[in-house]
Amino acid sequence: MLPERSREQSEQLTRPSPAKEQSYYAGLDIGGTKVAALIADGAGRPLGEAVARTGTRGPEELVASIVTAVYQAAAMAAVAPADLVAAGVGVPGQVNPQTGEVRLAVNLNLQAFPLGEVLAARLGTAVYLENDVRLATIGAYHWLIETEPVTHMAYLSIGTGLATGLILDGRLYRGPNGMAGEIGHLVVQPGGPPCKCGLHGCLETVTSGPAIIRLATAVMTTTEPLTVTAVYQAAEAGHPAARAVVEQVSGYLARAIQLLILSYDVEKVVLGGGVAQMGDRFCQPILRELATMRQRSPLADLMLPDERIAYLPAGYNAGVWGGVMLAREGETGRKG
Amino acid sequence: MLPERSREQSEQLTRPSPAKEQSYYAGLDIGGTKVAALIADGAGRPLGEAVARTGTRGPEELVASIVTAVYQAAAMAAVAPADLVAAGVGVPGQVNPQTGEVRLAVNLNLQAFPLGEVLAARLGTAVYLENDVRLATIGAYHWLIETEPVTHMAYLSIGTGLATGLILDGRLYRGPNGMAGEIGHLVVQPGGPPCKCGLHGCLETVTSGPAIIRLATAVMTTTEPLTVTAVYQAAEAGHPAARAVVEQVSGYLARAIQLLILSYDVEKVVLGGGVAQMGDRFCQPILRELATMRQRSPLADLMLPDERIAYLPAGYNAGVWGGVMLAREGETGRKG
């Protein structure tokens, strides 16, 4: 099931003219293993979705897998691909949104590739490229402002890595070099675990999905390979070693949230990504850490109330929704 | 000596009309012990400066000390106080720049006081209020862009406390609640030294002037009370305990700089404040830490080059210059 968006809300976001409701947009989230696609109309109604396996053996295979996902979603939506106005595409790597070039996407085996241009030609639509975390940030923001009139938001994505996207004054903040929000490589434990970036003790090495499994595997004895969910379930059931791991991870994440709020003064931090999909099970230990900080400090009490933290509902794919929003806003901005 | 500003540069900043060169502006920096005042003309030429002791026994005494500083600086500038167009005032605490109210300034013994309004009546000028670190941020930015066309900058103030001011897209970024940049209270050493905010191990407790003295006093044997300069001099002379303190402090500051660059993607981090006035002696150990990070990590090598870090020249008072700039920009904006 796709979450339904009300027509009123969506019109409020970009105020499309009634005629534009018959325009169709594609949102695409390219991951290391799968491409997710969503087709929505100009009023923000979801019409069809699909998932294809990511082609990683070169640009040609990648483009083919993206086109497959779009065509399947369009078929489900009963929309002719030719009727698509624009597509918003999230890429796990460094992109240039102006030129549509993928500078570097290690997991996709891409470097200096004009993905936007190639996709635009193959799909016959305008194509807007963005980094995947930033695209999910746009999706998270549109989810958030359906119920809260927030102008400053941080999206904290916790999955195989950890990264942040920012909305400041109602707009995506990228920074002059497009590097804003790379807090996964902040050194929070000097001399800590080695990170693939070359440093030691980066935030990502003590909080991401692989980090949680590494930490738990070192202290829990199991016959099967651990999953993040299994670690959190064991902690809930009172397993001392699992609890210690969850407490340590949650402490780092509570301080990452503190960092985002103290640095940017954002009104809301929204958690998302593969690990955060556990929802309450994942968030409650973080909220407990924040509650402890509030008890000790009037400043923390002022700046870190529970109301400032939210997580995406499990059924909401922020990436593809961000893609639809980016495509619609790009076209609205271009045409008037 | 006041640093001279070229007329061309200053005109470029806010483009005053030639007639406005005969307008005079006051910049004021209110500290816990002294009020510094600067009078400059519309072209940004410094004309006079003065320092008065801060009156802290109540609002009336405070206002009197500010007026004294302005009058003395005006006398030195041979400018009649009545010819002042506007004053920009930095307050060590929380202010509302829109209403000119000081919400809370503990060191000045002020709470919910309409300082802007009272000063405007006493001085007969427009008065623009700002938090002292933000005012110094404006001053640091104007110093910086005289030589570099930077649009994104963080000012890191290290003195009795530690705080940050931000310029994003060429404008001061305050955040929706005016709390952006409060990174001094980021917990960087869980379970570390107690902070006056109530938490433990805040960045301020391991890097500020008092923190450096506390750390050094614990490990160095001296007959006289230590100063920050004495600790750094001893470290330079090879004193092992002093070197260990300087290395620890510099490590935290290097990671604070990393935080500012990874979070905001600022093009420049400018160091200032009482402790950073030591200049090279203070900055070199930080740059050594950053060099070590660059050697280990291509990402650090990309994002943390020496060119991204600067410190204010010793003779440049960023606070009062920020006050002049704020006053001039306020008036320029108001009059069109």
Side-chain angles (χ1 to χ4, degrees), chain B residues 206-229:
Chain B
V206 289
T207 56
S208 63
I212 294 166
I213 290 171
R214 195 198 65 243
L215 287 165
T217 304
V219 292
M220 290 169 73
T221 43
T222 57
T223 50
E224 289 169 48
L226 281 169
T227 63
V228 174
T229 305

Short mmCIF file of all heavy atoms in Angstrom, two decimals, chain B residues 206-229:
data_model
loop_
_atom_site.label_atom_id
_atom_site.label_comp_id
_atom_site.label_asym_id
_atom_site.label_seq_id
_atom_site.Cartn_x
_atom_site.Cartn_y
_atom_site.Cartn_z
N VAL B 206 36.35 21.21 27.50
CA VAL B 206 37.66 20.64 27.16
C VAL B 206 38.45 21.52 26.20
O VAL B 206 39.54 21.12 25.74
CB VAL B 206 37.52 19.21 26.56
CG1 VAL B 206 37.09 18.23 27.65
CG2 VAL B 206 36.53 19.17 25.40
N THR B 207 37.94 22.73 25.88
CA THR B 207 38.66 23.57 24.90
C THR B 207 38.71 25.05 25.25
O THR B 207 39.53 25.76 24.69
CB THR B 207 37.98 23.49 23.51
OG1 THR B 207 36.60 23.85 23.67
CG2 THR B 207 38.09 22.12 22.91
N SER B 208 37.86 25.58 26.12
CA SER B 208 37.82 27.02 26.38
C SER B 208 39.02 27.45 27.22
O SER B 208 39.79 26.62 27.71
CB SER B 208 36.54 27.37 27.12
OG SER B 208 36.53 26.73 28.38
N GLY B 209 39.20 28.76 27.41
CA GLY B 209 40.30 29.26 28.25
C GLY B 209 40.29 28.64 29.64
O GLY B 209 41.31 28.06 30.07
N PRO B 210 39.19 28.74 30.38
CA PRO B 210 39.15 28.12 31.71
C PRO B 210 39.43 26.62 31.68
O PRO B 210 40.07 26.08 32.59
CB PRO B 210 37.71 28.39 32.17
CG PRO B 210 37.28 29.60 31.40
CD PRO B 210 37.96 29.51 30.08
N ALA B 211 38.98 25.94 30.62
CA ALA B 211 39.21 24.49 30.52
C ALA B 211 40.71 24.21 30.35
O ALA B 211 41.25 23.28 30.97
CB ALA B 211 38.43 23.92 29.34
N ILE B 212 41.37 25.01 29.53
CA ILE B 212 42.81 24.81 29.29
C ILE B 212 43.57 25.00 30.61
O ILE B 212 44.45 24.20 30.96
CB ILE B 212 43.32 25.78 28.21
CG1 ILE B 212 42.68 25.44 26.86
CG2 ILE B 212 44.85 25.73 28.11
CD1 ILE B 212 42.84 26.51 25.79
N ILE B 213 43.20 26.05 31.34
CA ILE B 213 43.88 26.32 32.62
C ILE B 213 43.60 25.20 33.62
O ILE B 213 44.50 24.74 34.33
CB ILE B 213 43.46 27.70 33.16
CG1 ILE B 213 44.07 28.79 32.26
CG2 ILE B 213 43.91 27.88 34.61
CD1 ILE B 213 43.60 30.18 32.53
N ARG B 214 42.35 24.72 33.64
CA ARG B 214 42.01 23.63 34.57
C ARG B 214 42.79 22.37 34.23
O ARG B 214 43.37 21.71 35.12
CB ARG B 214 40.49 23.34 34.49
CG ARG B 214 39.95 22.50 35.64
CD ARG B 214 38.60 21.88 35.29
NE ARG B 214 38.74 20.93 34.21
CZ ARG B 214 38.17 21.05 33.01
NH1 ARG B 214 37.38 22.07 32.74
NH2 ARG B 214 38.37 20.14 32.08
N LEU B 215 42.84 22.02 32.95
CA LEU B 215 43.58 20.82 32.53
C LEU B 215 45.06 20.95 32.86
O LEU B 215 45.68 20.00 33.35
CB LEU B 215 43.41 20.62 31.01
CG LEU B 215 42.05 20.13 30.52
CD1 LEU B 215 41.92 20.33 29.01
CD2 LEU B 215 41.84 18.66 30.87
N ALA B 216 45.64 22.12 32.61
CA ALA B 216 47.08 22.31 32.83
C ALA B 216 47.41 22.34 34.33
O ALA B 216 48.42 21.76 34.76
CB ALA B 216 47.54 23.60 32.16
N THR B 217 46.54 22.98 35.10
CA THR B 217 46.78 23.08 36.55
C THR B 217 46.83 21.69 37.18
O THR B 217 47.56 21.45 38.14
CB THR B 217 45.69 23.94 37.21
OG1 THR B 217 45.67 25.22 36.56
CG2 THR B 217 45.95 24.13 38.69
N ALA B 218 46.04 20.77 36.61
CA ALA B 218 45.99 19.41 37.16
C ALA B 218 47.28 18.64 36.93
O ALA B 218 47.58 17.70 37.66
CB ALA B 218 44.80 18.66 36.55
N VAL B 219 48.06 19.04 35.92
CA VAL B 219 49.25 18.24 35.57
C VAL B 219 50.57 19.01 35.64
O VAL B 219 51.64 18.41 35.55
CB VAL B 219 49.11 17.62 34.15
CG1 VAL B 219 48.01 16.57 34.15
CG2 VAL B 219 48.86 18.68 33.09
N MET B 220 50.50 20.34 35.78
CA MET B 220 51.74 21.13 35.83
C MET B 220 51.93 21.69 37.25
O MET B 220 50.97 22.14 37.86
CB MET B 220 51.68 22.29 34.84
CG MET B 220 51.74 21.83 33.39
SD MET B 220 51.36 23.18 32.22
CE MET B 220 52.86 24.17 32.33
N THR B 221 53.16 21.67 37.73
CA THR B 221 53.42 22.24 39.05
C THR B 221 54.02 23.63 38.86
O THR B 221 55.07 23.79 38.25
CB THR B 221 54.41 21.35 39.83
OG1 THR B 221 55.45 20.96 38.93
CG2 THR B 221 53.72 20.12 40.38
N THR B 222 53.30 24.63 39.34
CA THR B 222 53.78 26.01 39.24
C THR B 222 53.53 26.72 40.56
O THR B 222 52.66 26.31 41.34
CB THR B 222 53.06 26.81 38.13
OG1 THR B 222 51.66 26.76 38.41
CG2 THR B 222 53.35 26.25 36.77
N THR B 223 54.26 27.79 40.79
CA THR B 223 54.06 28.59 42.01
C THR B 223 52.97 29.64 41.78
O THR B 223 52.23 29.98 42.68
CB THR B 223 55.36 29.28 42.42
OG1 THR B 223 55.89 29.97 41.27
CG2 THR B 223 56.38 28.27 42.92
N GLU B 224 52.86 30.14 40.51
CA GLU B 224 51.85 31.16 40.21
C GLU B 224 50.67 30.55 39.48
O GLU B 224 50.79 29.50 38.85
CB GLU B 224 52.47 32.24 39.32
CG GLU B 224 53.49 33.11 40.04
CD GLU B 224 54.26 33.96 39.04
OE1 GLU B 224 53.61 34.59 38.19
OE2 GLU B 224 55.50 33.97 39.11
N PRO B 225 49.53 31.23 39.53
CA PRO B 225 48.38 30.74 38.75
C PRO B 225 48.75 30.74 37.26
O PRO B 225 49.40 31.68 36.78
CB PRO B 225 47.29 31.77 39.03
CG PRO B 225 47.71 32.47 40.28
CD PRO B 225 49.20 32.44 40.29
N LEU B 226 48.34 29.69 36.55
CA LEU B 226 48.68 29.56 35.13
C LEU B 226 47.81 30.47 34.27
O LEU B 226 46.67 30.79 34.62
CB LEU B 226 48.47 28.11 34.69
CG LEU B 226 49.56 27.10 35.06
CD1 LEU B 226 49.09 25.69 34.80
CD2 LEU B 226 50.82 27.39 34.23
N THR B 227 48.36 30.89 33.11
CA THR B 227 47.57 31.55 32.08
C THR B 227 47.58 30.64 30.85
O THR B 227 48.45 29.76 30.74
CB THR B 227 48.16 32.92 31.68
OG1 THR B 227 49.46 32.69 31.11
CG2 THR B 227 48.29 33.84 32.89
N VAL B 228 46.65 30.86 29.95
CA VAL B 228 46.61 30.06 28.73
C VAL B 228 47.90 30.25 27.94
O VAL B 228 48.49 29.29 27.44
CB VAL B 228 45.37 30.43 27.88
CG1 VAL B 228 45.41 29.69 26.55
CG2 VAL B 228 44.09 30.09 28.62
N THR B 229 48.35 31.49 27.86
CA THR B 229 49.59 31.77 27.13
C THR B 229 50.76 31.02 27.74
O THR B 229 51.59 30.44 27.02
CB THR B 229 49.88 33.28 27.13
OG1 THR B 229 48.73 33.96 26.61
CG2 THR B 229 51.09 33.62 26.27
#
